[in-house]
Amino acid sequence: MTQVFGFVLSLVLTFAALFVALKTSLSFNAIIWIIGTLAVIQAALQLFMFMHLKDGEDSKAQTINILYGIFIAVVTVAGSIWVMSFGM
Amino acid sequence: MSANLNTALPLEYQTEQNRMNILGFWIFLGAEIILFATLFATYSVLSTRFAGGPTQNDLFEIKGVMTETILLLTSSFTCGLAIYEMHRGNKKGLLTWMIITLLLGAGFVGLEINEFITYVHEGATMQTSAFLSSFFVLLGTHGLHVSMGIGWAVMVMIQIVKRGLTPVTARKAFIIGLYWHFLDVVWIFIFTFVYLKGMVS
């Protein structure tokens, strides 16, 4: 059943992120990239396995809308960090 | 409500109105992504402005954070099981898993409130520093969403008890399910980019 599989995988990803962040001695940047990637994978898992983004006859519109939301989110967050990093 | 029932589809997709409502809710979730993105951006920019106050390392405790994370993650799973039971036409199963979901959600909110109270007692209030202002606004907005979700889900459950599983009540249950999973998605990013990141540096 996809729900159980998704749940177990989410737990594994959560504990993997915890381990990488607190139990390894990698550089700060390496850790942020690794746990960031794990977070994105887990978010995608929720979106497809629990929320069934691809279901329904409007799945194309749903997917485009969510992708657009993510695009704006990335621009907002990355853009803010980038702009505010000047002069520091 | 539209009389054109397409009984080949799951209950929540059977009427045109339902399909429109579900699409509309996905568009709302797109706007929610952007709402939280602005708060994450604010936090990311201000997260090192301590104004002489406590830092992430002084405040965060991994045990409480992990408990909150597991509670919310499990509630997202049980919410998925509730919708799964709904698709099998099992009203009792739907309600049972919904109640478990809400208890886990309430546990999460309780722990979070407790965490905030602890911080304030340690002298870390919203007014202490830019870091803490943005922290409390981001976490508070998420916690408020979870709290409102609990109230909303209770109202949907009352309707299901009173009216049974119809295309209308099934659509409402499905939409609160989407909302609940979405809140877990937001938490994954809070867990990663607020708590774990804060404890690394």
mmCIF file of all heavy atoms in Angstrom, chain A residues 1 3 7 15 18 21 28 32 35-36 39 42 46 50-51 53 57 62 65-66 69 73 77 80 84 88, chain B residues 19 26-27 33 37 41 44-45 49 62 66 73-74 76-77 80-81 178 181 184-185 189 192-193 197 200:
data_model
loop_
_atom_site.group_PDB
_atom_site.id
_atom_site.type_symbol
_atom_site.label_atom_id
_atom_site.label_comp_id
_atom_site.label_asym_id
_atom_site.label_seq_id
_atom_site.Cartn_x
_atom_site.Cartn_y
_atom_site.Cartn_z
ATOM 1 N N MET A 1 0.841 -1.209 0.000
ATOM 2 C CA MET A 1 0.000 0.000 0.000
ATOM 3 C C MET A 1 0.872 1.254 0.000
ATOM 4 O O MET A 1 1.794 1.391 0.792
ATOM 5 C CB MET A 1 -0.861 -0.042 1.269
ATOM 6 C CG MET A 1 -2.081 0.801 1.190
ATOM 7 S SD MET A 1 -3.164 0.332 2.548
ATOM 8 C CE MET A 1 -3.146 1.830 3.480
ATOM 9 N N GLN A 3 0.454 4.252 0.992
ATOM 10 C CA GLN A 3 0.486 5.093 2.197
ATOM 11 C C GLN A 3 1.561 4.623 3.167
ATOM 12 O O GLN A 3 2.326 5.431 3.706
ATOM 13 C CB GLN A 3 -0.874 5.046 2.918
ATOM 14 C CG GLN A 3 -2.075 5.224 2.023
ATOM 15 C CD GLN A 3 -2.339 6.667 1.661
ATOM 16 O OE1 GLN A 3 -1.638 7.559 2.121
ATOM 17 N NE2 GLN A 3 -3.322 6.911 0.830
ATOM 18 N N PHE A 7 4.957 6.557 4.249
ATOM 19 C CA PHE A 7 5.200 6.881 5.662
ATOM 20 C C PHE A 7 6.589 6.400 6.096
ATOM 21 O O PHE A 7 7.365 7.156 6.690
ATOM 22 C CB PHE A 7 4.114 6.235 6.526
ATOM 23 C CG PHE A 7 4.271 6.480 7.994
ATOM 24 C CD1 PHE A 7 4.404 7.769 8.492
ATOM 25 C CD2 PHE A 7 4.269 5.418 8.888
ATOM 26 C CE1 PHE A 7 4.536 8.001 9.855
ATOM 27 C CE2 PHE A 7 4.399 5.637 10.245
ATOM 28 C CZ PHE A 7 4.534 6.925 10.727
ATOM 29 N N PHE A 15 15.027 10.861 9.635
ATOM 30 C CA PHE A 15 16.135 10.452 10.499
ATOM 31 C C PHE A 15 17.474 10.570 9.774
ATOM 32 O O PHE A 15 18.496 10.860 10.405
ATOM 33 C CB PHE A 15 15.897 9.040 11.043
ATOM 34 C CG PHE A 15 14.953 9.020 12.205
ATOM 35 C CD1 PHE A 15 13.616 8.684 12.033
ATOM 36 C CD2 PHE A 15 15.383 9.404 13.471
ATOM 37 C CE1 PHE A 15 12.724 8.706 13.095
ATOM 38 C CE2 PHE A 15 14.505 9.429 14.546
ATOM 39 C CZ PHE A 15 13.169 9.074 14.358
ATOM 40 N N LEU A 18 18.407 14.123 10.184
ATOM 41 C CA LEU A 18 18.843 14.328 11.565
ATOM 42 C C LEU A 18 20.274 13.845 11.747
ATOM 43 O O LEU A 18 21.124 14.533 12.327
ATOM 44 C CB LEU A 18 17.908 13.564 12.506
ATOM 45 C CG LEU A 18 18.225 13.637 14.001
ATOM 46 C CD1 LEU A 18 17.888 15.010 14.539
ATOM 47 C CD2 LEU A 18 17.444 12.576 14.763
ATOM 48 N N ALA A 21 22.820 16.050 9.901
ATOM 49 C CA ALA A 21 22.975 17.380 10.500
ATOM 50 C C ALA A 21 23.752 17.330 11.813
ATOM 51 O O ALA A 21 24.577 18.194 12.074
ATOM 52 C CB ALA A 21 21.602 18.009 10.727
ATOM 53 N N PHE A 28 29.493 23.014 6.819
ATOM 54 C CA PHE A 28 28.143 23.568 6.962
ATOM 55 C C PHE A 28 27.400 23.557 5.631
ATOM 56 O O PHE A 28 26.248 23.102 5.547
ATOM 57 C CB PHE A 28 28.250 24.994 7.519
ATOM 58 C CG PHE A 28 26.918 25.668 7.677
ATOM 59 C CD1 PHE A 28 26.060 25.312 8.708
ATOM 60 C CD2 PHE A 28 26.525 26.662 6.785
ATOM 61 C CE1 PHE A 28 24.834 25.933 8.859
ATOM 62 C CE2 PHE A 28 25.291 27.284 6.933
ATOM 63 C CZ PHE A 28 24.447 26.917 7.966
ATOM 64 N N ILE A 32 23.894 21.559 4.635
ATOM 65 C CA ILE A 32 22.670 22.246 4.214
ATOM 66 C C ILE A 32 22.192 21.709 2.864
ATOM 67 O O ILE A 32 20.995 21.474 2.664
ATOM 68 C CB ILE A 32 22.898 23.780 4.137
ATOM 69 C CG1 ILE A 32 23.218 24.339 5.524
ATOM 70 C CG2 ILE A 32 21.658 24.478 3.572
ATOM 71 C CD1 ILE A 32 22.184 24.040 6.595
ATOM 72 N N ILE A 35 20.696 18.030 3.554
ATOM 73 C CA ILE A 35 19.394 17.982 4.232
ATOM 74 C C ILE A 35 18.329 18.726 3.431
ATOM 75 O O ILE A 35 17.161 18.356 3.449
ATOM 76 C CB ILE A 35 19.459 18.474 5.709
ATOM 77 C CG1 ILE A 35 19.882 19.945 5.815
ATOM 78 C CG2 ILE A 35 20.377 17.599 6.546
ATOM 79 C CD1 ILE A 35 19.893 20.460 7.254
ATOM 80 N N GLY A 36 18.749 19.759 2.671
ATOM 81 C CA GLY A 36 17.799 20.446 1.787
ATOM 82 C C GLY A 36 17.263 19.509 0.719
ATOM 83 O O GLY A 36 16.061 19.476 0.440
ATOM 84 N N ALA A 39 14.818 17.128 2.210
ATOM 85 C CA ALA A 39 13.527 17.784 2.460
ATOM 86 C C ALA A 39 12.703 17.862 1.179
ATOM 87 O O ALA A 39 11.499 17.595 1.178
ATOM 88 C CB ALA A 39 13.749 19.182 3.033
ATOM 89 N N GLN A 42 11.306 14.500 0.351
ATOM 90 C CA GLN A 42 10.190 14.146 1.236
ATOM 91 C C GLN A 42 8.931 14.939 0.902
ATOM 92 O O GLN A 42 7.810 14.413 0.959
ATOM 93 C CB GLN A 42 10.591 14.379 2.694
ATOM 94 C CG GLN A 42 9.718 13.609 3.664
ATOM 95 C CD GLN A 42 10.095 13.857 5.099
ATOM 96 O OE1 GLN A 42 11.249 14.196 5.381
ATOM 97 N NE2 GLN A 42 9.158 13.701 5.997
ATOM 98 N N GLN A 46 5.216 13.423 -0.253
ATOM 99 C CA GLN A 46 3.902 13.770 0.295
ATOM 100 C C GLN A 46 2.952 14.187 -0.831
ATOM 101 O O GLN A 46 1.795 13.782 -0.864
ATOM 102 C CB GLN A 46 4.032 14.938 1.282
ATOM 103 C CG GLN A 46 4.772 14.605 2.553
ATOM 104 C CD GLN A 46 3.835 14.103 3.646
ATOM 105 O OE1 GLN A 46 2.647 14.382 3.632
ATOM 106 N NE2 GLN A 46 4.378 13.342 4.579
ATOM 107 N N PHE A 50 0.674 10.986 -0.908
ATOM 108 C CA PHE A 50 -0.434 11.257 0.013
ATOM 109 C C PHE A 50 -1.481 12.172 -0.619
ATOM 110 O O PHE A 50 -2.668 11.996 -0.431
ATOM 111 C CB PHE A 50 0.085 11.892 1.306
ATOM 112 C CG PHE A 50 0.808 10.931 2.211
ATOM 113 C CD1 PHE A 50 1.432 11.374 3.361
ATOM 114 C CD2 PHE A 50 0.858 9.580 1.921
ATOM 115 C CE1 PHE A 50 2.085 10.487 4.205
ATOM 116 C CE2 PHE A 50 1.518 8.679 2.748
ATOM 117 C CZ PHE A 50 2.139 9.146 3.895
ATOM 118 N N MET A 51 -1.012 13.186 -1.363
ATOM 119 C CA MET A 51 -1.969 14.160 -1.887
ATOM 120 C C MET A 51 -2.451 13.804 -3.294
ATOM 121 O O MET A 51 -3.384 14.395 -3.800
ATOM 122 C CB MET A 51 -1.337 15.561 -1.875
ATOM 123 C CG MET A 51 -1.000 16.028 -0.473
ATOM 124 S SD MET A 51 0.028 17.498 -0.426
ATOM 125 C CE MET A 51 -1.188 18.788 -0.688
ATOM 126 N N LEU A 53 -1.300 14.321 -6.335
ATOM 127 C CA LEU A 53 -1.306 15.486 -7.221
ATOM 128 C C LEU A 53 -1.750 15.102 -8.632
ATOM 129 O O LEU A 53 -2.397 15.887 -9.321
ATOM 130 C CB LEU A 53 0.105 16.097 -7.248
ATOM 131 C CG LEU A 53 0.332 17.316 -8.123
ATOM 132 C CD1 LEU A 53 -0.506 18.488 -7.639
ATOM 133 C CD2 LEU A 53 1.796 17.711 -8.144
ATOM 134 N N GLU A 57 -9.294 14.798 -13.217
ATOM 135 C CA GLU A 57 -9.186 15.186 -14.626
ATOM 136 C C GLU A 57 -8.444 16.508 -14.800
ATOM 137 O O GLU A 57 -8.001 16.838 -15.884
ATOM 138 C CB GLU A 57 -10.578 15.271 -15.262
ATOM 139 C CG GLU A 57 -11.468 16.337 -14.639
ATOM 140 C CD GLU A 57 -12.810 16.454 -15.340
ATOM 141 O OE1 GLU A 57 -13.182 15.486 -16.050
ATOM 142 O OE2 GLU A 57 -13.459 17.482 -15.187
ATOM 143 N N GLN A 62 -3.572 21.354 -11.927
ATOM 144 C CA GLN A 62 -3.087 21.278 -10.548
ATOM 145 C C GLN A 62 -1.562 21.307 -10.518
ATOM 146 O O GLN A 62 -0.950 22.049 -9.751
ATOM 147 C CB GLN A 62 -3.529 19.959 -9.897
ATOM 148 C CG GLN A 62 -4.984 19.925 -9.513
ATOM 149 C CD GLN A 62 -5.455 18.547 -9.093
ATOM 150 O OE1 GLN A 62 -6.643 18.352 -8.948
ATOM 151 N NE2 GLN A 62 -4.557 17.590 -8.902
ATOM 152 N N ASN A 65 -0.022 24.627 -11.584
ATOM 153 C CA ASN A 65 -0.238 25.616 -10.536
ATOM 154 C C ASN A 65 0.746 25.433 -9.376
ATOM 155 O O ASN A 65 1.344 26.402 -8.888
ATOM 156 C CB ASN A 65 -1.682 25.495 -10.035
ATOM 157 C CG ASN A 65 -1.934 26.351 -8.824
ATOM 158 O OD1 ASN A 65 -1.915 27.557 -8.912
ATOM 159 N ND2 ASN A 65 -2.130 25.723 -7.684
ATOM 160 N N ILE A 66 0.941 24.181 -8.941
ATOM 161 C CA ILE A 66 1.858 23.921 -7.822
ATOM 162 C C ILE A 66 3.295 24.215 -8.248
ATOM 163 O O ILE A 66 4.067 24.820 -7.492
ATOM 164 C CB ILE A 66 1.701 22.462 -7.325
ATOM 165 C CG1 ILE A 66 0.343 22.270 -6.653
ATOM 166 C CG2 ILE A 66 2.830 22.079 -6.367
ATOM 167 C CD1 ILE A 66 0.106 23.125 -5.426
ATOM 168 N N GLY A 69 3.745 27.840 -8.103
ATOM 169 C CA GLY A 69 3.890 28.242 -6.707
ATOM 170 C C GLY A 69 5.297 27.989 -6.202
ATOM 171 O O GLY A 69 5.912 28.840 -5.549
ATOM 172 N N ALA A 73 8.138 30.620 -4.948
ATOM 173 C CA ALA A 73 8.714 30.420 -3.613
ATOM 174 C C ALA A 73 10.240 30.429 -3.684
ATOM 175 O O ALA A 73 10.901 31.099 -2.884
ATOM 176 C CB ALA A 73 8.209 29.100 -3.018
ATOM 177 N N VAL A 77 12.636 33.197 -1.862
ATOM 178 C CA VAL A 77 13.592 32.851 -0.802
ATOM 179 C C VAL A 77 15.025 33.068 -1.276
ATOM 180 O O VAL A 77 15.799 33.797 -0.634
ATOM 181 C CB VAL A 77 13.381 31.394 -0.328
ATOM 182 C CG1 VAL A 77 14.450 31.022 0.698
ATOM 183 C CG2 VAL A 77 11.991 31.230 0.267
ATOM 184 N N SER A 80 15.767 36.781 -1.909
ATOM 185 C CA SER A 80 15.923 37.577 -0.684
ATOM 186 C C SER A 80 17.291 37.337 -0.074
ATOM 187 O O SER A 80 17.984 38.283 0.323
ATOM 188 C CB SER A 80 14.839 37.212 0.335
ATOM 189 O OG SER A 80 13.571 37.487 -0.186
ATOM 190 N N MET A 84 20.123 40.293 0.124
ATOM 191 C CA MET A 84 20.519 40.758 1.455
ATOM 192 C C MET A 84 21.942 40.347 1.824
ATOM 193 O O MET A 84 22.450 40.753 2.869
ATOM 194 C CB MET A 84 19.538 40.245 2.519
ATOM 195 C CG MET A 84 18.125 40.773 2.344
ATOM 196 S SD MET A 84 18.031 42.566 2.312
ATOM 197 C CE MET A 84 18.257 42.929 4.040
ATOM 198 N N MET A 88 27.552 42.494 3.470
ATOM 199 C CA MET A 88 27.677 41.867 4.793
ATOM 200 C C MET A 88 29.125 41.513 5.103
ATOM 201 O O MET A 88 29.912 41.275 4.239
ATOM 202 C CB MET A 88 26.819 40.603 4.855
ATOM 203 C CG MET A 88 25.358 40.946 5.053
ATOM 204 S SD MET A 88 24.356 39.463 5.269
ATOM 205 C CE MET A 88 24.782 38.998 6.928
ATOM 206 N N ARG B 19 -15.285 18.693 -8.676
ATOM 207 C CA ARG B 19 -14.007 18.788 -9.393
ATOM 208 C C ARG B 19 -13.496 20.226 -9.384
ATOM 209 O O ARG B 19 -12.309 20.473 -9.209
ATOM 210 C CB ARG B 19 -14.167 18.254 -10.826
ATOM 211 C CG ARG B 19 -14.391 16.744 -10.869
ATOM 212 C CD ARG B 19 -14.298 16.178 -12.278
ATOM 213 N NE ARG B 19 -15.438 16.533 -13.116
ATOM 214 C CZ ARG B 19 -16.572 15.813 -13.184
ATOM 215 N NH1 ARG B 19 -16.708 14.715 -12.471
ATOM 216 N NH2 ARG B 19 -17.552 16.189 -13.968
ATOM 217 N N TRP B 26 -6.490 23.387 -4.832
ATOM 218 C CA TRP B 26 -5.082 23.292 -5.250
ATOM 219 C C TRP B 26 -4.527 24.687 -5.546
ATOM 220 O O TRP B 26 -3.377 24.987 -5.242
ATOM 221 C CB TRP B 26 -4.926 22.396 -6.478
ATOM 222 C CG TRP B 26 -4.841 20.940 -6.125
ATOM 223 C CD1 TRP B 26 -5.839 20.003 -6.248
ATOM 224 C CD2 TRP B 26 -3.709 20.232 -5.592
ATOM 225 N NE1 TRP B 26 -5.398 18.775 -5.810
ATOM 226 C CE2 TRP B 26 -4.100 18.888 -5.415
ATOM 227 C CE3 TRP B 26 -2.406 20.608 -5.246
ATOM 228 C CZ2 TRP B 26 -3.230 17.922 -4.903
ATOM 229 C CZ3 TRP B 26 -1.550 19.648 -4.741
ATOM 230 C CH2 TRP B 26 -1.969 18.327 -4.573
ATOM 231 N N ILE B 27 -5.358 25.545 -6.146
ATOM 232 C CA ILE B 27 -4.899 26.914 -6.422
ATOM 233 C C ILE B 27 -4.657 27.659 -5.107
ATOM 234 O O ILE B 27 -3.671 28.374 -4.943
ATOM 235 C CB ILE B 27 -5.918 27.646 -7.328
ATOM 236 C CG1 ILE B 27 -5.922 26.984 -8.708
ATOM 237 C CG2 ILE B 27 -5.594 29.138 -7.439
ATOM 238 C CD1 ILE B 27 -7.010 27.420 -9.637
ATOM 239 N N ILE B 33 1.758 28.219 -0.531
ATOM 240 C CA ILE B 33 3.197 27.996 -0.732
ATOM 241 C C ILE B 33 3.905 29.346 -0.728
ATOM 242 O O ILE B 33 4.943 29.531 -0.084
ATOM 243 C CB ILE B 33 3.466 27.264 -2.070
ATOM 244 C CG1 ILE B 33 2.989 25.814 -2.003
ATOM 245 C CG2 ILE B 33 4.961 27.308 -2.425
ATOM 246 C CD1 ILE B 33 3.131 25.059 -3.314
ATOM 247 N N ALA B 37 6.595 30.947 1.738
ATOM 248 C CA ALA B 37 7.883 31.316 1.139
ATOM 249 C C ALA B 37 8.327 32.691 1.632
ATOM 250 O O ALA B 37 9.503 32.895 1.955
ATOM 251 C CB ALA B 37 7.793 31.311 -0.379
ATOM 252 N N ALA B 41 11.688 33.344 3.652
ATOM 253 C CA ALA B 41 12.667 34.317 3.164
ATOM 254 C C ALA B 41 13.033 35.284 4.287
ATOM 255 O O ALA B 41 14.214 35.565 4.528
ATOM 256 C CB ALA B 41 12.096 35.080 1.969
ATOM 257 N N SER B 44 15.176 33.480 6.832
ATOM 258 C CA SER B 44 16.530 33.197 6.341
ATOM 259 C C SER B 44 17.415 34.435 6.393
ATOM 260 O O SER B 44 18.595 34.355 6.711
ATOM 261 C CB SER B 44 16.472 32.691 4.895
ATOM 262 O OG SER B 44 15.633 31.572 4.823
ATOM 263 N N VAL B 45 16.823 35.589 6.070
ATOM 264 C CA VAL B 45 17.608 36.816 6.054
ATOM 265 C C VAL B 45 17.944 37.273 7.487
ATOM 266 O O VAL B 45 19.033 37.765 7.750
ATOM 267 C CB VAL B 45 16.838 37.913 5.291
ATOM 268 C CG1 VAL B 45 17.463 39.280 5.530
ATOM 269 C CG2 VAL B 45 16.802 37.595 3.805
ATOM 270 N N ARG B 49 20.547 37.644 13.139
ATOM 271 C CA ARG B 49 20.478 38.952 13.813
ATOM 272 C C ARG B 49 19.956 38.748 15.239
ATOM 273 O O ARG B 49 18.760 38.766 15.474
ATOM 274 C CB ARG B 49 19.568 39.904 13.025
ATOM 275 C CG ARG B 49 19.947 40.057 11.557
ATOM 276 C CD ARG B 49 21.391 40.549 11.432
ATOM 277 N NE ARG B 49 21.863 40.461 10.038
ATOM 278 C CZ ARG B 49 21.902 41.492 9.209
ATOM 279 N NH1 ARG B 49 21.489 42.665 9.595
ATOM 280 N NH2 ARG B 49 22.348 41.325 7.983
ATOM 281 N N ILE B 62 16.707 19.077 20.532
ATOM 282 C CA ILE B 62 16.380 18.134 19.473
ATOM 283 C C ILE B 62 15.251 17.178 19.865
ATOM 284 O O ILE B 62 14.437 16.795 19.030
ATOM 285 C CB ILE B 62 17.651 17.362 19.009
ATOM 286 C CG1 ILE B 62 17.366 16.582 17.721
ATOM 287 C CG2 ILE B 62 18.188 16.445 20.084
ATOM 288 C CD1 ILE B 62 17.015 17.464 16.549
ATOM 289 N N MET B 66 12.045 16.627 17.524
ATOM 290 C CA MET B 66 11.810 15.330 16.879
ATOM 291 C C MET B 66 10.429 14.792 17.237
ATOM 292 O O MET B 66 9.738 14.224 16.391
ATOM 293 C CB MET B 66 12.892 14.319 17.302
ATOM 294 C CG MET B 66 14.169 14.386 16.500
ATOM 295 S SD MET B 66 13.918 14.485 14.723
ATOM 296 C CE MET B 66 13.709 12.771 14.289
ATOM 297 N N LEU B 73 4.156 14.016 11.236
ATOM 298 C CA LEU B 73 4.371 13.077 10.128
ATOM 299 C C LEU B 73 3.394 11.911 10.232
ATOM 300 O O LEU B 73 2.769 11.512 9.248
ATOM 301 C CB LEU B 73 5.818 12.573 10.189
ATOM 302 C CG LEU B 73 6.331 11.767 9.006
ATOM 303 C CD1 LEU B 73 6.214 12.587 7.734
ATOM 304 C CD2 LEU B 73 7.786 11.388 9.233
ATOM 305 N N THR B 74 3.236 11.382 11.456
ATOM 306 C CA THR B 74 2.315 10.267 11.658
ATOM 307 C C THR B 74 0.885 10.707 11.378
ATOM 308 O O THR B 74 0.094 9.953 10.794
ATOM 309 C CB THR B 74 2.429 9.722 13.097
ATOM 310 O OG1 THR B 74 3.813 9.517 13.380
ATOM 311 C CG2 THR B 74 1.693 8.417 13.256
ATOM 312 N N SER B 76 -0.061 12.919 9.280
ATOM 313 C CA SER B 76 -0.237 13.000 7.832
ATOM 314 C C SER B 76 -0.520 11.603 7.261
ATOM 315 O O SER B 76 -1.354 11.430 6.372
ATOM 316 C CB SER B 76 1.028 13.593 7.192
ATOM 317 O OG SER B 76 0.858 13.782 5.821
ATOM 318 N N PHE B 77 0.170 10.609 7.810
ATOM 319 C CA PHE B 77 -0.036 9.221 7.396
ATOM 320 C C PHE B 77 -1.444 8.741 7.742
ATOM 321 O O PHE B 77 -2.160 8.197 6.887
ATOM 322 C CB PHE B 77 1.022 8.337 8.071
ATOM 323 C CG PHE B 77 0.801 6.864 7.946
ATOM 324 C CD1 PHE B 77 0.729 6.258 6.697
ATOM 325 C CD2 PHE B 77 0.693 6.067 9.080
ATOM 326 C CE1 PHE B 77 0.533 4.885 6.585
ATOM 327 C CE2 PHE B 77 0.500 4.700 8.976
ATOM 328 C CZ PHE B 77 0.415 4.112 7.723
ATOM 329 N N GLY B 80 -3.965 10.129 5.513
ATOM 330 C CA GLY B 80 -3.989 9.387 4.250
ATOM 331 C C GLY B 80 -4.813 8.108 4.381
ATOM 332 O O GLY B 80 -5.577 7.743 3.484
ATOM 333 N N LEU B 81 -4.682 7.431 5.540
ATOM 334 C CA LEU B 81 -5.465 6.209 5.772
ATOM 335 C C LEU B 81 -6.954 6.526 5.847
ATOM 336 O O LEU B 81 -7.791 5.755 5.365
ATOM 337 C CB LEU B 81 -5.013 5.537 7.074
ATOM 338 C CG LEU B 81 -3.614 4.923 7.075
ATOM 339 C CD1 LEU B 81 -3.326 4.273 8.425
ATOM 340 C CD2 LEU B 81 -3.451 3.908 5.960
ATOM 341 N N LEU B 178 -6.156 17.182 1.923
ATOM 342 C CA LEU B 178 -5.107 17.888 1.166
ATOM 343 C C LEU B 178 -4.441 18.952 2.029
ATOM 344 O O LEU B 178 -3.221 19.089 2.057
ATOM 345 C CB LEU B 178 -5.708 18.564 -0.073
ATOM 346 C CG LEU B 178 -6.123 17.690 -1.241
ATOM 347 C CD1 LEU B 178 -6.653 18.573 -2.364
ATOM 348 C CD2 LEU B 178 -4.962 16.856 -1.745
ATOM 349 N N HIS B 181 -2.091 17.360 4.711
ATOM 350 C CA HIS B 181 -0.811 16.907 4.141
ATOM 351 C C HIS B 181 0.076 18.105 3.824
ATOM 352 O O HIS B 181 1.291 18.070 4.028
ATOM 353 C CB HIS B 181 -1.038 16.113 2.849
ATOM 354 C CG HIS B 181 -1.725 14.806 3.056
ATOM 355 N ND1 HIS B 181 -1.314 13.893 3.989
ATOM 356 C CD2 HIS B 181 -2.784 14.247 2.434
ATOM 357 C CE1 HIS B 181 -2.113 12.843 3.948
ATOM 358 N NE2 HIS B 181 -3.009 13.032 3.011
ATOM 359 N N ASP B 184 2.023 19.317 6.697
ATOM 360 C CA ASP B 184 3.192 18.479 6.980
ATOM 361 C C ASP B 184 4.336 18.832 6.037
ATOM 362 O O ASP B 184 5.497 18.851 6.442
ATOM 363 C CB ASP B 184 2.824 17.001 6.875
ATOM 364 C CG ASP B 184 3.961 16.119 7.361
ATOM 365 O OD1 ASP B 184 4.461 16.377 8.470
ATOM 366 O OD2 ASP B 184 4.360 15.203 6.630
ATOM 367 N N VAL B 185 4.018 19.127 4.778
ATOM 368 C CA VAL B 185 5.051 19.537 3.821
ATOM 369 C C VAL B 185 5.761 20.800 4.324
ATOM 370 O O VAL B 185 6.988 20.896 4.317
ATOM 371 C CB VAL B 185 4.446 19.785 2.417
ATOM 372 C CG1 VAL B 185 5.478 20.390 1.482
ATOM 373 C CG2 VAL B 185 3.899 18.489 1.838
ATOM 374 N N PHE B 189 10.043 21.573 5.850
ATOM 375 C CA PHE B 189 10.988 22.656 5.582
ATOM 376 C C PHE B 189 11.346 23.426 6.860
ATOM 377 O O PHE B 189 12.481 23.878 7.016
ATOM 378 C CB PHE B 189 10.443 23.583 4.491
ATOM 379 C CG PHE B 189 10.469 22.918 3.138
ATOM 380 C CD1 PHE B 189 9.335 22.328 2.606
ATOM 381 C CD2 PHE B 189 11.656 22.836 2.421
ATOM 382 C CE1 PHE B 189 9.376 21.683 1.380
ATOM 383 C CE2 PHE B 189 11.707 22.188 1.194
ATOM 384 C CZ PHE B 189 10.569 21.609 0.673
ATOM 385 N N THR B 192 13.854 21.240 8.638
ATOM 386 C CA THR B 192 15.166 21.228 7.985
ATOM 387 C C THR B 192 15.862 22.579 8.084
ATOM 388 O O THR B 192 17.003 22.659 8.535
ATOM 389 C CB THR B 192 15.000 20.853 6.498
ATOM 390 O OG1 THR B 192 14.322 19.601 6.416
ATOM 391 C CG2 THR B 192 16.357 20.726 5.823
ATOM 392 N N PHE B 193 15.168 23.650 7.662
ATOM 393 C CA PHE B 193 15.856 24.929 7.487
ATOM 394 C C PHE B 193 15.785 25.848 8.710
ATOM 395 O O PHE B 193 16.463 26.872 8.758
ATOM 396 C CB PHE B 193 15.329 25.648 6.243
ATOM 397 C CG PHE B 193 15.753 24.962 4.977
ATOM 398 C CD1 PHE B 193 14.823 24.336 4.155
ATOM 399 C CD2 PHE B 193 17.100 24.900 4.618
ATOM 400 C CE1 PHE B 193 15.218 23.681 3.002
ATOM 401 C CE2 PHE B 193 17.503 24.250 3.468
ATOM 402 C CZ PHE B 193 16.565 23.638 2.663
ATOM 403 N N LYS B 197 19.173 23.277 10.600
ATOM 404 C CA LYS B 197 20.167 24.278 10.200
ATOM 405 C C LYS B 197 20.645 25.062 11.421
ATOM 406 O O LYS B 197 21.842 25.322 11.577
ATOM 407 C CB LYS B 197 19.566 25.219 9.169
ATOM 408 C CG LYS B 197 20.512 26.297 8.680
ATOM 409 C CD LYS B 197 19.916 27.028 7.487
ATOM 410 C CE LYS B 197 20.787 28.178 7.061
ATOM 411 N NZ LYS B 197 20.374 29.475 7.634
ATOM 412 N N VAL B 200 23.101 23.010 13.447
ATOM 413 C CA VAL B 200 24.393 22.722 12.817
ATOM 414 C C VAL B 200 25.366 23.868 13.084
ATOM 415 O O VAL B 200 26.499 23.665 13.491
ATOM 416 C CB VAL B 200 24.236 22.511 11.296
ATOM 417 C CG1 VAL B 200 25.603 22.413 10.640
ATOM 418 C CG2 VAL B 200 23.438 21.255 11.017
#
